[in-house]
């Protein structure tokens, strides 16, 4: 344990001071997920942030995520972005994917 403490001391003493804050944070995973969703404008990045994390992390903004998916879905179907592959589609909750009938109403 003594060697471990010395190793940490030496490590933190020699790294660029600007990077030390990247090793710890009081932000929870859920808070980071929500923050990153709002920080990204790119749909692929937003989808990655939301749909690769447990839904409990973003349950507080679920309605907003659903609205974003519903507003974007027809455009995604038309554009067929690379990030919207079968794996990503399987991660999107089924109630967030508008059916063809619902899409035709819009």
């Amino acid at each position: 344990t003594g060697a471990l403490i010395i190793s940490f001391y030496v490590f933190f003493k020699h790294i660029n001071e600007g990077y030390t804050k990247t090793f710890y944070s009081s932000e929870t995973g859920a808070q980071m997920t929500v923050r990153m969703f709002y920080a990204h404008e790119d749909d692929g990045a937003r989808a990655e942030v939301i749909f690769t994390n447990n839904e409990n992390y973003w349950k507080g903004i679920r309605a907003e995520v659903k609205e974003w998916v519903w507003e974007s879905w027809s455009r995604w179907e038309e554009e067929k972005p690379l990030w919207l592959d079968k794996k990503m589609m399987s991660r999107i909750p089924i109630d967030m994917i508008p059916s063809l009938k619902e899409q035709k109403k819009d």
Side-chain angles (χ1 to χ4, degrees):
T1 45
L4 182 62
I5 292 170
I6 292 170
S7 296
F8 276 120
Y9 173 78
V10 170
F11 175 74
F12 281 105
K13 188 75 173 157
H14 288 93
I15 65 169
N16 183 326
E17 287 182 28
Y19 295 121
T20 56
K21 66 181 178 199
T22 65
F23 287 92
Y24 57 88
S25 172
S26 61
E27 183 178 47
T28 66
Q31 291 168 334
M32 184 185 81
T33 299
V34 170
R35 178 179 55 80
M36 295 300 289
F37 176 76
Y38 289 122
H40 290 296
E41 292 183 23
D42 176 71
D43 287 340
R46 291 180 110 187
E48 185 75 23
V49 165
I50 291 296
F51 300 124
T52 60
N53 280 298
N54 187 300
E55 192 171 341
N56 286 321
Y57 276 23
W58 49 274
K59 66 183 174 186
I61 61 166
R62 191 180 201 288
E64 293 160 81
V65 172
K66 183 175 182 175
E67 182 179 339
W68 164 67
V69 172
W70 275 56
E71 288 175 356
S72 305
W73 191 260
S74 60
R75 179 172 44 84
W76 295 341
E77 283 191 320
E78 188 177 306
E79 294 175 358
K80 300 191 183 334
L82 292 176
W83 62 264
L84 190 61
D85 56 11
K86 288 181 182 182
K87 188 172 185 177
M88 182 60 77
M89 288 181 76
S90 72
R91 292 176 171 162
I92 301 172
I94 198 76
D95 68 297
M96 291 192 177
I97 300 174
S99 68
L100 290 175
K101 187 178 179 181
E102 290 163 329
Q103 288 181 44
K104 288 180 183 178
K105 286 181 188 177
D106 296 334

